[in-house]
Amino acid sequence: MTDPNTDRDLDAEKSAAQAETEAEDQGIEPIPEPEGETELIETDYEIGQDNLAASWTLKFDIHQVVFTWSAFAIMAFIVLTLAFQNEVEPLFTGLRNWLTGNLDWFFLLSGNIFVLLCLALIVSPLGKIRLGGPEATADYGYIGWFSMLFAAGMGIGLMFFGVSEPLSHYSTAFGGVTVGEDGVRTDWAPLGGAEGNVEQATRLGMAATIFHWGLHPWAIYAVVALALALFSYNKGLPLTLRSAFYPIFGERIWGWPGHVVDILAVFATIFGLATSLGIGAQQASAGLNQLFGLGTGTGMLVALIIFITAIAIVSILRGLDGGVKLLSEVNIALAGLLLLFVVLAGATTDILRDFFANLGAYGQYLPALSMPFGREDANFSQGWTAFYWAWWISWSPFVGMFIARVSRGRTVREFLIAVLIVPTVLSVLWMTALGGTAISQVVNDGVTSVQGAALELQLFEMLAQLPLAAITSFVAIVLVLVFFITSSDSGSLVIDTIAAGGKINAPVVQRVFWAIVEALVAIALLLGGGLIALQAMAVSTGLPFTLVLLAACYAIVRGLMNEPR
């Protein structure tokens, strides 16, 4: 006789295997089942049930509502921006100034909430919960995992602002407070500045820089990543932003409330990426012009975006492990070598000493810098901080989903420490080495070329004062370009997942489509207003998505409270 329980187990295994085979045949890479006891959410929704799948000249599999509305709106934006380049520039300028000038308090307050939530979860018992179930194991080792999340999270920005931002904040702080005839401050100094005081201006400048690249941006990323990972790997829902809102909307997330969340995520990701790609193109173009005299005009920027997007498409075709993972690890290695060179070739002892001093300055000025209300340094808090927070928030669906994709098997505490604390420490080291060296060159060596150069050139001017300048500048250009590629590749993966209704292995042609769209948006914005246009769209898409993230905080806590621990 056979044991009926054994028969049932075999039938269940066969059914699971058959379902997995059918999913793979339909182009779905099934989300791994939770390992161990978790609190699954029971729903009749199946991934891809609202999709339009067909194979004409090319095979595609798209969510009918999310893909259609997102693609149509973005393509219309590209066409209109290119058609009315002169007319849209003042529109973008006014939009950016109004949003940062009137809603800076909202962005700053929201950023504080994200940081406090992450720190509370690290020290709370909820931190013991494992993403993927109590018996889940990590999909990637620490080196590969951290390389991917860091390269996707801040690569291009660290290259562009690593020298220019510390130097800018030092200069404005050293210049002190200036007031116009109407009694309003006209300077860009953080807080009250440090007029004429080199030491205090340096401390304040570095603290302000670290503030923009430390806990707050990574907390924004962590909130999105944790929400996605929790509700997909532990609750069994699709890997899309709408899944995180099940505790709020219930089954309605499969309708228009969920459609709106996912469409906003696509918009935010596209325009956040376009901002970074535009900035990366400007810096790479400046570096190539300095080394090889290739020019920095609009035509060069457009050609560079097209060329790098073509390489990104090759990376897309190679897949996650053969493409973005490999490039991320190469880039982290190159960034580490550049950082080590600057430390050794520059004032080594001063850099190592200043690392701890800058951490202390960050802690000292953090409460004042993060204060949402009653700010007198409007140019700094609105022009720098509010823009940064909106930019990070617009990037958060992209970076958050990418981090979630590669973070299964980590505990919440391990996840948050790795995503929040470790990158902050490395950002402090990076800014101390590059920015601190530039400030030292200005203050101690009297080098005026670094301070007087355009923002995109200041990194190369700093390297020009050190040995092997041509080699290190070329390495810096390669870093910018590869960060460019990994951002485009990773962003296309994330956007396609959202626009394909949660399918994480939809036809690759769709990822190629989104990579091309990212490039077209970046080109359109550069032609229609340059850096200001890029910033305006990052801020405008970051605003509605801030509301999405605040709601996600509530959903995360509710979801974790229901998990066994």
Side-chain angles (χ1 to χ4, degrees):
M1 286 182 64
T2 58
D3 186 345
N5 291 326
T6 303
D7 290 340
R8 280 195 297 271
D9 291 342
L10 289 173
D11 290 340
E13 290 177 8
K14 289 178 181 178
S15 298
Q18 183 179 0
E20 185 171 336
T21 301
E22 291 175 354
E24 290 173 353
D25 290 341
Q26 297 170 19
I28 308 171
E29 180 184 332
I31 296 172
E33 292 290 331
E35 300 178 42
E37 183 183 356
T38 62
E39 192 68 28
L40 286 171
I41 291 177
E42 298 294 334
T43 178
D44 294 330
Y45 183 84
E46 295 181 3
I47 296 177
Q49 73 176 39
D50 295 326
N51 281 21
L52 177 63
S55 182
W56 298 334
T57 304
L58 296 171
K59 184 178 180 181
F60 63 90
D61 193 346
I62 58 175
H63 191 284
Q64 296 184 68
V65 176
V66 176
F67 181 94
T68 303
W69 280 87
S70 300
F72 176 79
I74 292 168
M75 295 306 294
F77 172 86
I78 292 170
V79 171
L80 291 173
T81 302
L82 291 176
F84 302 99
Q85 295 176 29
N86 296 329
E87 290 81 359
V88 297
E89 183 173 358
L91 176 64
F92 286 135
T93 302
L95 179 63
R96 185 199 64 171
N97 292 341
W98 188 89
L99 288 171
T100 57
N102 291 277
L103 296 174
D104 56 319
W105 64 270
F106 176 67
F107 288 117
L108 267 68
L109 180 61
S110 300
N112 294 341
I113 291 172
F114 303 142
V115 172
L116 292 174
L117 172 66
C118 291
L119 294 177
L121 290 177
I122 288 175
V123 300
S124 78
L126 299 176
K128 296 186 294 184
I129 295 170
R130 188 172 296 275
L131 301 174
E135 299 174 12
T137 56
D139 293 335
Y140 296 95
Y142 280 108
I143 295 177
W145 179 44
F146 184 72
S147 297
M148 285 190 285
L149 72 90
F150 195 73
M154 292 194 169
I156 290 176
L158 283 174
M159 295 300 297
F160 189 91
F161 292 103
V163 169
S164 62
E165 185 170 353
L167 193 55
S168 176
H169 294 328
Y170 161 77
S171 300
T172 56
F174 185 76
V177 174
T178 58
V179 180
E181 294 181 358
D182 56 358
V184 177
R185 281 180 61 171
T186 59
D187 63 276
W188 284 73
L191 303 179
E195 185 174 358
N197 189 322
V198 171
E199 182 179 352
Q200 287 304 314
T202 301
R203 282 178 57 83
L204 181 55
M206 292 303 303
T209 301
I210 295 166
F211 172 58
H212 291 149
W213 296 85
L215 294 175
H216 283 75
W218 286 99
I220 292 168
Y221 296 159
V223 166
V224 177
L226 181 56
L228 287 164
L230 174 65
F231 285 94
S232 295
Y233 298 140
N234 293 62
K235 307 296 186 183
L237 299 180
L239 191 66
T240 62
L241 268 296
R242 71 175 72 203
S243 295
F245 291 84
Y246 197 94
I248 299 173
F249 294 116
E251 289 293 316
R252 286 179 295 165
I253 65 167
W254 314 124
W256 270 103
H259 298 339
V260 170
V261 169
D262 281 350
I263 291 170
L264 285 175
V266 172
F267 287 165
T269 305
I270 282 285
F271 289 107
L273 273 170
T275 302
S276 298
L277 298 183
I279 287 173
Q282 288 181 327
Q283 187 171 37
S285 174
L288 289 168
N289 181 61
Q290 181 158 315
L291 287 181
F292 307 112
L294 298 180
T296 59
T298 302
M300 179 61 183
L301 294 176
V302 172
L304 196 57
I305 291 174
I306 293 172
F307 174 71
I308 298 304
T309 301
I311 299 177
I313 290 173
V314 174
S315 176
I316 288 170
L317 296 175
R318 288 178 57 87
L320 184 62
D321 289 337
V324 68
K325 178 176 181 289
L326 176 62
L327 287 174
S328 296
E329 291 177 346
V330 169
N331 232 23
I332 290 298
L334 285 176
L337 288 174
L338 180 63
L339 177 64
L340 182 62
F341 172 81
V342 173
V343 171
L344 295 178
T348 307
T349 304
D350 291 345
I351 291 173
L352 296 178
R353 180 199 64 212
D354 291 344
F355 169 76
F356 296 100
N358 291 337
L359 272 176
Y362 174 47
Q364 174 187 345
Y365 289 111
L366 180 60
L369 289 169
S370 58
M371 177 60 64
F373 308 107
R375 298 290 290 266
E376 296 181 359
D377 53 344
N379 283 336
F380 173 81
S381 62
Q382 296 172 9
W384 281 98
T385 306
F387 161 68
Y388 264 133
W389 275 205
W391 187 18
W392 300 141
I393 288 168
S394 69
W395 258 60
S396 64
F398 149 50
V399 181
M401 185 174 290
F402 190 76
I403 293 174
R405 283 283 305 268
V406 298
S407 299
R408 183 178 175 274
R410 307 290 179 182
T411 66
V412 171
R413 182 173 293 117
E414 180 185 20
F415 171 86
L416 289 174
I417 290 174
V419 175
L420 194 67
I421 306 299
V422 175
T424 295
V425 173
L426 287 178
S427 295
V428 174
L429 180 58
W430 182 271
M431 294 298 183
T432 298
L434 276 68
T437 297
I439 293 173
S440 176
Q441 290 172 349
V442 171
V443 174
N444 300 324
D445 304 332
V447 177
T448 58
S449 59
V450 179
Q451 195 169 21
L455 292 181
E456 60 268 20
L457 267 177
Q458 288 184 341
L459 168 64
F460 303 106
E461 288 293 340
M462 183 275 288
L463 293 174
Q465 312 306 315
L466 302 176
L468 306 175
I471 295 175
T472 54
S473 293
F474 182 75
V475 169
I477 293 170
V478 171
L479 275 168
V480 172
L481 295 179
V482 180
F483 276 131
F484 198 141
I485 295 168
T486 54
S487 295
S488 177
D489 188 348
S490 307
S492 302
L493 171 68
V494 168
I495 296 170
D496 184 42
T497 300
I498 299 171
K503 292 189 176 183
I504 57 179
N505 193 24
V508 70
V509 67
Q510 296 170 201
R511 288 175 60 190
V512 173
F513 168 79
W514 288 114
I516 294 171
V517 169
E518 292 161 20
L520 290 175
V521 171
I523 290 170
L525 289 172
L526 283 173
L527 295 177
L531 184 59
I532 289 177
L534 293 165
Q535 293 176 344
M537 293 313 298
V539 173
S540 60
T541 52
L543 174 62
F545 207 75
T546 305
L547 298 172
V548 172
L549 292 194
L550 290 171
C553 292
Y554 168 76
I556 287 171
V557 174
R558 278 196 57 181
L560 289 173
M561 292 291 290
N562 292 331
E563 282 292 294
R565 51 186 190 276

